[in-house]
Amino acid sequence: PLVLCEYIHAMGNGPGDAEQYQQLIMKYDRFMGGFVWEWCDHAVLVNGVQKYGGDFKGELTQDGNFCCDGMVFSDRSFKAGTYEIKNTYAPFRIALCDGGITVTNYFDFTSFDGYEFEYTVECDGETLEKRIVTANTKPHESFNIRITCDLPEECRLGCYISVRMSERNGRELGILQEQLPVKIVKREENLQKAELVEDRLNVIAQGDGFRYVFSKQLGNFTSIVINGAEQLLCPVKLSYNRACTDNDRNIAALWNNVNIWQGENYDCVFNNVRKVVTDGNRITVTAVAGGISRKPFFNYTLTADFFTDGSVKISLDGNIRENAYWLPRLGFEFKLPYGKSKFEYFGNGPLESYRDMTHHGFIGKHSSSADDEYVNYVRPQEHGNHTDCRELAVENSLRFTAEDKMEISVLHHSTEQIAAANHTDELENSNGTHIRVDYKVSGIGTNSCGPALPEKYRLSEKNIHFGFTIGI
């Protein structure tokens, strides 16, 4: 028999990797399981602020915030990682089958008698079917759920089936989701090309209810005006960094508020514009990106196509330097006025998710706000990301639609503000809403005290293509 002690580390934002372990546990009879390190954060509340090692006079020995490594917070409230463990440990699994879905009992000694399974079929965020079924299925056996509604031949965002297992008293044991084989079709509209006006420093596109200013020096937008109201508090930037999580501590310096990320200096990157060409309704930027005092790690071409309905089609294509260390993330940052903080999105929610921490959520339509996205980690760190997104709409502001998929976040604090704080009361007051529209964000892992992040969860590919549309 094999049992792992401290097999995943729940410190801060995390744990990631849990489902990968669980698949092995379920595959091998001799693999009994493991212990999450650990149950709860240990902190001392001082004037409403959680304190940890090094915060008190007379400490003869201390371990920083390494006492804050719980699957639940110090007040026993839950985080996304808590629910990730819950769904990973759910005693059932689902798989698509002809005409429906197979539900397998992963109890060792207990039948499904006394449990209910509620399944929901959704297409483009709209419910097509919802039913509760029961089955007296024996341990390690399966039963089938037949989908009785008619599925469309194609959809715009995606069709999914979710299965929720609960006791008859309503206590939930888990919820799992699978994507149904319905073809996703992007409906291309016959849009008219907008005219561009160019001067020495900028390219301007304007029309009914919109005005874009694109800087030739920065290779990005410096102004987006909708119906006379400016949407940007500062220029849009292409960026590569995230605030370190506790699980990033072995690849980035955490305690001096610097994120060197294995020497690439992703926290201080310059996008060096080499050429800007305007042709018809298209701007093409040729540029390189590199951390301060480092070789460029990204050669890229950015194109922006403007249309008379106020939409802009963005395409980013480039190559990462072969020996560059894998990236924390890659995408665009928009800073909007503080009040523009309510949003809707189609993606994984309602809680934050990352490439290796997706099983607690479900893909569909969700509503939230920048305030609701904040997670009160003992040491402020990267949070609020959502994977598998196809659309993001900020109330009374911009709309973003992915060419395929994107990752998004909407927060009141910037990456720099979060990275600079070691305690929650050190977070600077925000004066805006910070929106990320990302190609990808690397996973969370459990490397604060465990193995490195698995390769498949890293942003380590060398050829990049990312497309999305800005709409008004």
Side-chain angles (χ1 to χ4, degrees), residues 106-135:
Y106 272 94
F107 280 129
D108 285 328
F109 307 104
T110 306
S111 76
F112 277 163
D113 185 31
Y115 297 95
E116 294 180 341
F117 294 84
E118 179 185 81
Y119 76 90
T120 305
V121 178
E122 290 188 348
C123 187
D124 292 344
E126 303 298 323
T127 300
L128 301 182
E129 183 177 351
K130 190 172 187 177
R131 233 171 17 115
I132 294 177
V133 298
T134 58

Side-chain angles (χ1 to χ4, degrees), residues 245-263:
T245 68
D246 285 312
N247 286 311
D248 292 333
R249 65 176 56 238
N250 290 320
I251 52 175
L254 292 181
W255 300 114
N256 57 358
N257 298 329
V258 174
N259 176 4
I260 60 171
W261 205 268
Q262 290 297 304

Side-chain angles (χ1 to χ4, degrees), residues 160 179 388-390 402-407 438-439 466-467:
Y160 296 86
Q179 185 171 1
D388 297 304
C389 292
R390 294 188 183 273
E403 180 183 296
D404 182 23
K405 291 181 181 180
M406 60 187 175
E407 301 190 33
D438 285 334
Y439 164 65
F466 178 43

Side-chain angles (χ1 to χ4, degrees), residues 446-461:
T446 63
N447 192 219
S448 53
C449 187
L453 184 69
E455 176 71 27
K456 66 179 180 179
Y457 300 128
R458 303 175 186 177
L459 205 178
S460 57
E461 54 259 51

Side-chain angles (χ1 to χ4, degrees), residues 365-420:
K365 284 186 177 180
H366 302 278
S367 299
S368 188
S369 69
D371 286 332
D372 291 339
E373 292 292 293
Y374 174 71
V375 184
N376 193 39
Y377 290 114
V378 179
R379 187 186 68 79
Q381 57 196 271
E382 158 71 28
H383 66 275
N385 191 65
H386 295 279
T387 61
D388 297 304
C389 292
R390 294 188 183 273
E391 285 188 342
L392 165 65
V394 181
E395 187 175 89
N396 299 318
S397 188
L398 303 176
R399 174 184 294 272
F400 304 90
T401 304
E403 180 183 296
D404 182 23
K405 291 181 181 180
M406 60 187 175
E407 301 190 33
I408 62 102
S409 75
V410 179
L411 299 171
H412 272 321
H413 292 97
S414 69
T415 295
E416 292 76 18
Q417 287 175 321
I418 297 170

